[in-house]
Amino acid sequence: MDKLIIEGGRKLAGRVRISGAKNAALPAMAATLLTSGRTVLRNVPGLQDVRTMGRLLGHLGAQYERGTDEYVIDSSKINSHDAPYDLVKTMRASVLVLGPLVARYGEARVSLPGGCAIGARPINLHLMGLEKMGARVELQHGYAHASADRLKGARIYLDIPTVTGTENLMMAAALAKGTTVLENAAREPEVVDLADMLNKMGARIVGAGEGIITIEGVDELHSVTHDVIADRIEAGTFIAAAVITGGDIVLEGAFEGHVEAVIEKFRETGAEFENLLEGLRVIGNGRPRASDLKTMPYPGFPTDMQAQFMAVMSVAEGTSVIQERIFENRFMHAAELKRMGANISIDGAVATVRGIDSLKGAEVMATDLRASASLIVAALAAEGPTTVHRIYHLDRGYEHIERKLEGLGASVERAA
Ligand code: EPU
């Protein structure tokens, strides 16, 4: 199993290109199931999760070709409606095929994802929404089986603004008969990117990015070429890395509007930002100051950046209180950061981080994708070498991470 060995203490400097967003590429790939013909997706990151989605689409009967950052997907010969356990267990986002399959083929059988390292993560709201649109949903043998002759428009209120739930229901509603209104919908940029792609395909969606999305169903959609947006969480992770090392870097291709909450939070810690033509410049200014944090649905501070922020707070001046409000078990990185000397105490969904002068390199274990990123951020500033084990989590969500960090002057080595 691969590991990364990082020798900390170097200030990051230079430019780094931000890749396409994993969490926008995955629903875009699933959306190809809504049409026949060749869909071209550009700016798709070369990540394990993207390859898993490719395998899942292949399993359903789609044909696809992969270029450097491009996928050409042809879903005209779908012959299975089954997302099996083996694929769903390696990637929860596999559940994104549910909405498109029921909408276009009247049937989907998707393995229930089950809990994962960060929380229980049920899909009850995805299923409730499909039922409201007239699907019959049965749970059997660990699978959700949904079927319908043709979905019909409905008013659906989401108790929680679930991101993939909103995406699944938006895709399903695009081909339903009549108008669907999604209330308390997720407002994440990835939802907006999917709506943009669906509208190019001929869908009639308004309100994506706001709390209420209205989708007027159409009879068919056509294939398109679509560019996936830049990854705001990758951008945020590099911001954290620049701040913790007191570095000065430019994030090429990052869209400032998508990382506003992250920028504001790091500004409070003393970092400076500049919007340049070539991208977003981040300047770390000596030791960061402590700042409190609550994770929130977009446009709030993203849960996917909480672990990286905690790493920075572990060496900040003062005490930071961090509340995780999206997932119930997303502090697994705290125990690993403590192995590097961090002073963190956890009480339920609240972590209190008392900043120390410096972290010490250690052997640490990645438990999930963003936890891995936080350990890398911590290692970049630690004294001595840190070995991050189980980095397959990292490869699910960060493209060429060691190459990008090395390009910024970090000492990072991958070893088997
Ligand atoms: N929830 C329910 N019922 C549902 C759906 C969600 O109770 O039917 C709960 C979840 O358990 C959680 C909260 O609602 O407590 C929010 O979950 P959400 O459904 O929004 O998360 P998701 O769609 O499964 C996406 C991202 C995650 C990111 C979250 C929150 C993708 C593929 N995944 O997950 O990304 O953390 O939104 O922003 O878009 C990652 O990239 O590392 C990652 C975990």
Side-chain angles (χ1 to χ4, degrees):
M1 227 177 266
D2 280 7
K3 54 192 175 199
L4 281 189
I5 304 160
I6 298 176
E7 187 72 45
R10 300 192 185 185
K11 288 186 181 203
L12 299 192
R15 291 159 177 243
V16 61
R17 171 142 291 278
I18 300 305
S19 299
K22 165 180 84 81
N23 290 347
L26 297 173
M29 291 172 80
T32 64
L33 292 169
L34 291 165
T35 181
S36 46
R38 285 157 61 89
T39 300
V40 181
L41 295 176
R42 297 192 297 215
N43 201 29
V44 177
L47 298 172
Q48 199 49 49
D49 275 8
V50 166
R51 288 187 281 274
T52 304
M53 184 58 92
R55 269 173 49 218
L56 173 55
L57 294 178
H59 166 88
L60 298 174
Q63 318 243 289
Y64 64 92
E65 294 154 36
R66 206 171 90 196
T68 331
D69 69 348
E70 189 174 282
Y71 264 74
V72 181
I73 303 171
D74 183 340
S75 293
S76 38
K77 295 201 181 106
I78 296 303
N79 52 24
S80 160
H81 309 133
D82 242 44
Y85 177 69
D86 274 355
L87 288 168
V88 180
K89 82 167 194 282
T90 55
M91 187 187 65
R92 307 178 51 82
S94 304
V95 77
L96 283 165
V97 301
L98 179 63
L101 283 177
V102 189
R104 182 128 191 269
Y105 298 96
E107 181 147 27
R109 201 170 153 269
V110 173
S111 173
L112 291 166
C116 75
I118 61 177
R121 304 181 75 183
I123 56 161
N124 56 309
L125 297 171
H126 306 225
L127 301 176
M128 174 279 289
L130 289 174
E131 276 182 327
K132 283 253 163 96
M133 284 193 253
R136 292 170 295 280
V137 175
E138 285 171 58
L139 300 182
Q140 262 178 358
H141 310 294
Y143 279 77
H145 183 207
S147 56
D149 293 334
R150 182 169 180 195
L151 293 173
K152 52 184 193 316
R155 178 188 160 273
I156 301 167
Y157 176 81
L158 299 169
D159 283 347
I160 304 172
T162 159
V163 177
T164 48
T166 300
E167 291 164 349
N168 239 334
L169 296 175
M170 210 165 63
M171 289 189 280
L175 283 183
K177 189 169 175 50
T179 301
T180 298
V181 180
L182 290 180
E183 292 182 17
N184 198 28
R187 295 190 275 168
E188 270 66 5
E190 294 76 18
V191 170
V192 179
D193 194 41
L194 176 64
D196 287 346
M197 173 176 167
L198 293 170
N199 281 339
K200 272 191 267 174
M201 293 167 75
R204 297 203 186 125
I205 303 174
V206 291
E210 295 158 32
I212 299 178
I213 305 180
T214 305
I215 306 128
E216 203 186 308
V218 296
D219 290 339
E220 58 178 17
L221 295 169
H222 54 83
S223 55
V224 288
T225 295
H226 181 71
D227 291 283
V228 171
I229 54 170
D231 195 316
R232 65 195 167 96
I233 305 299
E234 188 197 22
T237 302
F238 279 104
I239 292 175
V243 172
I244 203 170
T245 62
D248 181 349
I249 67 174
V250 175
L251 308 172
E252 291 179 348
F255 178 55
E256 191 214 354
H258 290 168
V259 275
E260 265 171 11
V262 173
I263 290 178
E264 278 316 310
K265 191 41 65 181
F266 279 106
R267 261 204 192 110
E268 282 178 28
T269 75
E272 285 173 40
F273 292 86
E274 220 181 303
N275 223 340
L276 305 176
L277 265 182
E278 55 272 40
L280 178 67
R281 181 176 175 201
V282 193
I283 309 158
N285 264 330
R287 187 172 179 190
R289 291 190 296 273
S291 174
D292 295 341
L293 175 78
K294 277 187 195 146
T295 61
M296 304 276 256
Y298 191 85
F301 189 97
T303 171
D304 288 346
M305 276 299 300
Q306 176 260 108
Q308 301 89 314
F309 185 76
M310 188 184 290
V312 178
M313 288 301 96
S314 67
V315 291
E317 201 171 330
T319 297
S320 160
V321 177
I322 299 179
Q323 280 187 51
E324 171 55 52
R325 294 162 61 107
I326 307 296
F327 292 111
E328 61 275 23
N329 188 28
R330 209 173 197 182
F331 282 147
M332 302 277 274
H333 44 282
E336 299 302 303
L337 291 172
K338 281 162 88 168
R339 306 193 70 249
M340 300 175 74
N343 181 346
I344 305 170
S345 51
I346 307 278
D347 184 7
V350 180
T352 304
V353 188
R354 293 183 177 80
I356 56 167
D357 288 342
S358 71
L359 294 164
K360 307 280 180 283
E363 305 252 341
V364 290
M365 183 87 81
T367 48
D368 71 71
L369 172 54
R370 308 304 170 185
S372 326
S374 95
L375 298 176
I376 307 272
V377 169
L380 290 169
E383 283 171 18
T386 296
T387 306
V388 185
H389 294 271
R390 291 206 184 157
I391 53 153
Y392 58 84
H393 291 292
L394 202 68
D395 295 333
R396 288 187 36 221
Y398 290 89
E399 190 179 33
H400 308 312
I401 181 86
E402 68 266 39
R403 212 189 294 164
K404 288 188 178 185
L405 286 171
E406 268 171 1
L408 295 170
S411 160
V412 185
E413 191 192 322
R414 186 181 284 255

